[in-house]
Amino acid sequence: MTINCKGKLIDFQRPKIMGIVNLTTDSFYSGSRFADSGEGILLETVGKMLADGADFIDIGAYSTRPGADDVPVELEMQRVVSAVSHLCREFPEVLISVDTFRAAVADAAILEGAALINDVTAGLGDSAMFDVIAKHQVPYVMMHMRGTPKTMTQLNQYDDLIGEVLTYFSERIAAARALGINDLILDPGFGFAKNVDQNFMMLQRFADFKIAGLPLLAGISRKSMIYKTLGTTADQALNGTTFLHAFALQGGANILRVHDVKEAVEAVSLFEKLQL
């Protein structure tokens, strides 16, 4: 499997690491919040992630934690475009993923140098998103969710969780292909309209999503499925995150979206050693 990022062919023979940078004060994990940190802290943080082995940097300015408030499009746009501009100038080879469901934000970020778009709504949050992706032909992460961050915790009733997520993806993939979108990545959406038990079931059956024949992204870093199970907090969930990353890799994860790059890179290295 490969994707084309700004003319560079990225293959997934080795799982990739996507480092999280949240340009918001509302992220569930305090260690990833950089909204008011200033350009210097942002560059220092991303520089360390790249030095630690991050393949992608995922920038978002719209919190999608359960119950999160809406963010005005103007504020999201300003934060994202400014960050992408600064990072591309400082790190010319960086591959930036922009976490947004708004087509206008995606379009502006790509023009500023972003390499891919990560959309938690798989194009359902903004009907113009697929047109933007098709126009620029950038890789596109499609995630499964229901409702919005404010409502999704009440929308976790499924007759067949895995089957319904796969059906959702089949419909979204068909819609994207109809517009000529080439590079698609699937994210089952841990924590998005799924409770703790459903998240663990989805991780146990992560390999089922390989049936789509597309790269798979696992976003479980420091999430509530870990800290609620252990009776701790997001700040104390690194050990649990690393442990569950091993299961995601075993299930076929091609990208780990993480807060802690160094530890995720080490997990991939150890996992690869087991495959020899």
Side-chain angles (χ1 to χ4, degrees):
M1 295 183 191
T2 60
I3 58 173
N4 187 336
C5 287
K6 298 172 73 171
K8 181 179 180 181
L9 206 59
I10 307 296
D11 73 74
F12 292 105
Q13 288 187 346
R14 185 177 197 269
K16 304 298 188 243
I17 303 300
M18 179 180 283
I20 301 168
V21 175
N22 287 314
L23 306 175
T24 169
T25 58
D26 198 24
S27 171
F28 76 90
Y29 172 51
S30 61
S32 67
R33 301 174 195 155
F34 298 96
D36 302 317
S37 300
E39 180 184 341
I41 298 297
L42 174 65
L43 295 178
E44 179 183 342
T45 299
V46 170
K48 184 178 187 308
M49 285 184 171
L50 294 173
D52 285 343
D55 301 286
F56 306 101
I57 301 297
D58 192 51
I59 292 176
Y62 189 111
S63 175
T64 53
R65 67 167 181 81
D69 291 327
D70 186 54
V71 175
V73 64
E74 297 82 9
L75 179 58
E76 183 187 5
M77 177 86 74
Q78 185 274 322
R79 286 177 170 173
V80 166
V81 170
S82 175
V84 172
S85 176
H86 290 323
L87 292 175
C88 287
R89 185 173 64 248
E90 184 72 16
F91 308 105
E93 300 302 313
V94 69
L95 296 177
I96 297 176
S97 163
V98 171
D99 183 355
T100 185
F101 65 88
R102 287 168 165 156
V105 175
D107 189 49
I110 295 166
L111 291 173
E112 204 62 45
L116 62 159
I117 299 298
N118 179 10
D119 181 357
V120 298
T121 74
L124 294 173
D126 187 333
S127 60
M129 179 62 88
F130 278 10
D131 291 328
V132 168
I133 302 302
K135 177 178 71 173
H136 294 289
Q137 282 299 333
V138 296
Y140 182 57
V141 181
M142 312 170 81
M143 196 191 78
H144 173 271
M145 72 176 298
R146 287 175 169 177
T148 67
K150 271 193 172 299
T151 64
M152 64 186 179
T153 55
Q154 286 78 50
L155 300 173
N156 60 5
Q157 293 79 37
Y158 302 88
D159 294 322
D160 174 8
L161 174 61
I162 304 301
E164 290 176 47
V165 173
L166 284 170
T167 297
Y168 172 96
F169 279 138
S170 68
E171 294 169 350
R172 302 314 298 152
I173 291 168
R177 294 296 194 214
L179 289 176
I181 297 173
N182 294 317
D183 293 327
L184 298 172
I185 299 163
L186 303 185
D187 175 359
F190 290 95
F192 288 80
K194 291 102 179 168
N195 62 31
V196 169
D197 289 341
Q198 289 166 338
N199 285 321
F200 276 97
M201 179 203 303
M202 206 159 63
L203 184 57
Q204 287 174 321
R205 296 183 57 186
F206 196 78
D208 290 3
F209 298 108
K210 294 166 70 174
I211 194 172
L214 295 171
L216 300 177
L217 183 150
I220 54 181
S221 180
R222 294 183 180 268
K223 286 191 172 177
S224 63
M225 64 183 290
I226 299 167
Y227 63 80
K228 285 183 178 178
T229 298
L230 300 177
T232 56
T233 65
D235 288 349
Q236 299 169 307
L238 175 56
N239 186 52
T241 294
T242 304
F243 182 78
L244 293 187
H245 276 159
F247 281 84
L249 292 169
Q250 188 67 44
N254 302 107
I255 302 174
L256 299 178
R257 183 177 180 272
V258 308
H259 299 92
D260 309 279
V261 170
K262 180 175 182 291
E263 289 79 1
V265 170
E266 290 176 348
V268 168
S269 296
L270 294 174
F271 173 76
E272 286 190 304
K273 196 72 173 177
L274 286 169
Q275 309 309 303
L276 298 177

